[in-house]
Amino acid sequence: MVRVNTRDEILRVAAEQFTHSGYKGTSLQEIAAAVGCSKATLLYHFASKDAILHALVAPAALALAGLVAHLETVDDAVVQAAAIDGYVDLVLRFRHEVALIYDVIPQFLQEPAFDTVRPLTDQLCAAFAGRTDDPGNGIAAEVLLGGIAGVVIDDDRDAAELRPALIGVARRALLPAV
Amino acid sequence: MVRVNTRDEILRVAAEQFTHSGYKGTSLQEIAAAVGCSKATLLYHFASKDAILHALVAPAALALAGLVAHLETVDDAVVQAAAIDGYVDLVLRFRHEVALIYDVIPQFLQEPAFDTVRPLTDQLCAAFAGRTDDPGNGIAAEVLLGGIAGVVIDDDRDAAELRPALIGVARRALLPAV
DNA sequence: GTCTATAAACAGATAGAC
DNA sequence: GTCTATCTGTTTATAGAC
């Protein structure tokens, strides 16, 4: 099989399969078939199936950490708008990967390896809610965070079409009416 | 094991496990352990693992069909508000079950057994969008439908607290500003 | 780096005793 | 109606040749 970089190709295919069928619902067999190599080759490049998942999520988690760090420097008055724009861009850029974090593998969020991700999503949720204590705002933020991630997985439309619609619905739902 | 109704107990436990770990991520072994019986007992009450899932989703799908049928009789001007109220009530009533349809098993929506469910969710989505052709409205409806289902799974708060918050965020996001 | 072959564990499902 | 024991296929992962 002629291929530029087998490792990257494995990650690309795994991201597709994991988001489509779930982590548990995707076997190494299926990934290998789609890549065009053997299971053994997969496990030469990655120590385990879990390692593939972690390699996949790591860059997205890093970008998420960057967004959250940036939001900490933003003033309360505009933090919601900044969080919405940043999150929509992030989720469209890591379409498969960030979506995984929110939708496909909730059980994995409780694993030790994801201990760094959970506080980040909590902070992002707080930013979406406008850093208020009102539980209603928190619930609204959860709806939008999860809903946006879900659409990005399931919807076939491209980023250019989704971006304004996603930002629009989040603003209407979360920002005070003008 | 003293138990009122083993069949119902299996369904109750399976709903919990499926929503928490996913369908593929939950084994008959684990369900049996949580119920306090053997795998064989599970398969005495249900023909297969699939049969458990179908028994679980059937009442929710029926209720969903009822909601969609009711919405067809509702005037365009108020269909969004009616759809929001009806959906939030539905998803809180069948907290595990309807949530399963939207969040845990996207791959199952393509199975023949779910051929009846897919058109229902499409119609519900159209009602959420206010029966317009604007793709932006459609995307917003998808965000809210999926986001609400996701919150109902993950959030521990009870229905009384969630209901007004969920209806509120959906109205702000979807209904024209007054 | 990639392969075939295989190990070891686990899945869903069945048989038959009680 | 529930159990133990077992069958059969599939899973992740390893061993070793090329």
Side-chain angles (χ1 to χ4, degrees):
Chain A
M1 172 66 72
V2 179
R3 205 179 298 112
V4 181
N5 186 330
T6 304
R7 202 191 126 95
D8 290 350
E9 181 67 5
I10 291 168
L11 287 178
R12 197 186 63 75
V13 168
E16 256 181 43
Q17 311 256 88
F18 286 166
T19 45
H20 182 265
S21 308
Y23 176 73
K24 291 264 190 183
T26 305
S27 70
L28 295 182
Q29 187 69 258
E30 292 167 320
I31 298 172
V35 170
C37 70
S38 71
K39 280 189 292 179
T41 298
L42 255 55
L43 294 165
Y44 166 79
H45 289 281
F46 298 92
S48 65
K49 187 186 178 184
D50 239 74
I52 299 178
L53 176 67
H54 282 77
L56 217 44
V57 171
L62 205 65
L64 180 61
L67 172 61
V68 168
H70 166 67
L71 290 175
E72 275 175 8
T73 71
V74 171
D75 192 74
D76 281 10
V78 292
V79 70
Q80 284 180 293
I84 291 168
D85 288 3
Y87 178 68
V88 169
D89 282 340
L90 188 76
V91 88
L92 283 173
R93 179 162 167 229
F94 296 95
R95 196 148 174 175
H96 293 295
E97 295 81 357
V98 172
L100 263 176
I101 297 177
Y102 269 104
D103 262 289
V104 179
I105 42 167
Q107 60 269 38
F108 277 84
L109 288 176
Q110 286 151 15
E111 277 190 11
F114 285 85
D115 279 355
T116 54
V117 175
R118 168 63 73 183
L120 294 176
T121 59
D122 287 346
Q123 273 194 265
L124 184 59
C125 191
F128 258 59
R131 294 185 186 138
T132 65
D133 287 337
D134 179 4
N137 284 9
I139 293 169
E142 283 177 41
V143 169
L144 271 294
L145 281 169
I148 287 170
V151 164
V152 162
I153 297 178
D154 296 331
D155 202 300
D156 290 332
R157 280 169 282 214
D158 67 8
E161 187 172 1
L162 289 177
R163 190 177 183 280
L166 294 175
I167 290 176
V169 66
R171 285 195 174 148
R172 283 195 303 277
L174 297 172
L175 266 49
V178 282
Chain B
M1 172 65 73
V2 179
R3 202 180 301 112
V4 181
N5 185 332
T6 304
R7 203 192 125 95
D8 291 349
E9 180 67 6
I10 291 169
L11 287 177
R12 198 187 61 77
V13 167
E16 257 181 43
Q17 310 256 85
F18 286 166
T19 46
H20 183 264
S21 308
Y23 177 73
K24 291 265 190 183
T26 305
S27 69
L28 295 181
Q29 187 69 259
E30 290 168 320
I31 299 173
V35 170
C37 70
S38 70
K39 278 192 293 179
T41 298
L42 256 54
L43 293 166
Y44 166 79
H45 288 281
F46 298 91
S48 65
K49 187 187 179 184
D50 240 74
I52 299 178
L53 176 65
H54 283 77
L56 218 43
V57 170
L62 205 66
L64 179 61
L67 172 61
V68 168
H70 166 67
L71 289 175
E72 274 175 9
T73 70
V74 171
D75 193 75
D76 281 10
V78 292
V79 69
Q80 283 181 293
I84 291 168
D85 287 3
Y87 179 67
V88 169
D89 282 340
L90 188 75
V91 88
L92 284 172
R93 179 158 169 234
F94 297 96
R95 197 149 174 174
H96 292 295
E97 295 82 355
V98 173
L100 264 175
I101 295 176
Y102 268 104
D103 263 288
V104 178
I105 43 167
Q107 59 269 36
F108 276 84
L109 288 176
Q110 288 152 14
E111 276 191 11
F114 284 84
D115 278 356
T116 53
V117 175
R118 167 64 71 182
L120 294 177
T121 60
D122 286 346
Q123 271 194 268
L124 184 60
C125 191
F128 258 60
R131 294 184 184 139
T132 66
D133 287 338
D134 179 6
N137 283 12
I139 292 170
E142 283 177 41
V143 169
L144 270 293
L145 281 169
I148 288 170
V151 164
V152 161
I153 297 178
D154 295 330
D155 202 299
D156 290 331
R157 281 169 281 215
D158 66 8
E161 187 172 1
L162 289 178
R163 190 176 183 282
L166 294 176
I167 289 175
V169 67
R171 286 193 174 152
R172 283 195 303 278
L174 297 172
L175 266 49
V178 282

